[in-house]
Amino acid sequence: MTSKTDLIAAARAAAAHAYAPYSRFAVGAALLLDDGRIVTGCNFENASYGLALCAETVALAKANSEGDLARVVEVAVIGGSIATGAMAGADPVRPCGRCRQIINEAAQLGGRDILVHCSSADGEKVETHRLSDLLPHAFGPADLV
Ligand code: THU
């Protein structure tokens, strides 16, 4: 069984692959699926700055491309500045607004309130939130019918 600590460790390993030469802020995300598998992602920037993809979005797109979007039960996010070498930062990284909306698509599809573990770079500070607290009154698939 995957613990919160294991999921954060998987997110940290993914952050090592962050392509973040512009912000020099590395982020890793790990999704826990309902069958125990883990899907990871890291941020992926571009010389055209606005095209950057967040770690959570990359991980969710990977899960979707394998047919697993409805299976996501938990998400871990970790990140920090890599400007001076190793990833550093005292505060937990929380998903941006766009990523919250994209996590919500997985939550609605799977019919569950996804737990989001937000970790500081060193793993010392971890907050766990329900997606419904991070994104109250969300717009979702049900609003389109
Ligand atoms: N970033 C993420 O990957 N996830 C978030 O939830 C917040 C921001 C990335 C985007 C960009 O590459 C860098 O962090 C700085 O904003």
Side-chain angles (χ1 to χ4, degrees), residues 20-26 45 80-84:
Y22 308 109
S23 70
R24 298 212 277 176
F25 192 86
E45 297 185 349
S81 173
I82 49 172
T84 57

Side-chain angles (χ1 to χ4, degrees), residues 1-8 11 29-40 56 59-60 63 68-77 103 106-107 112-118 126-131:
M1 187 161 144
T2 303
S3 68
K4 175 174 73 173
T5 313
D6 293 340
L7 202 61
I8 292 168
L31 316 176
L32 176 64
L33 306 185
D34 63 4
D35 59 5
R37 284 178 295 142
I38 291 175
V39 179
T40 62
E56 303 91 315
L60 285 155
D68 292 326
L69 195 59
R71 309 194 79 135
V72 178
V73 292
E74 294 182 27
V75 177
V77 187
I103 296 167
R112 50 171 78 86
D113 197 0
I114 290 174
L115 285 183
V116 183
H117 309 294
C118 308
V126 178
E127 296 173 352
T128 296
H129 301 283
R130 290 185 180 85
L131 179 68

Side-chain angles (χ1 to χ4, degrees), residues 97-121:
R98 183 174 189 268
C99 287
R100 293 176 197 201
Q101 183 68 30
I102 293 174
I103 296 167
N104 184 59
E105 200 72 19
Q108 296 307 312
L109 219 58
R112 50 171 78 86
D113 197 0
I114 290 174
L115 285 183
V116 183
H117 309 294
C118 308
S119 177
S120 58

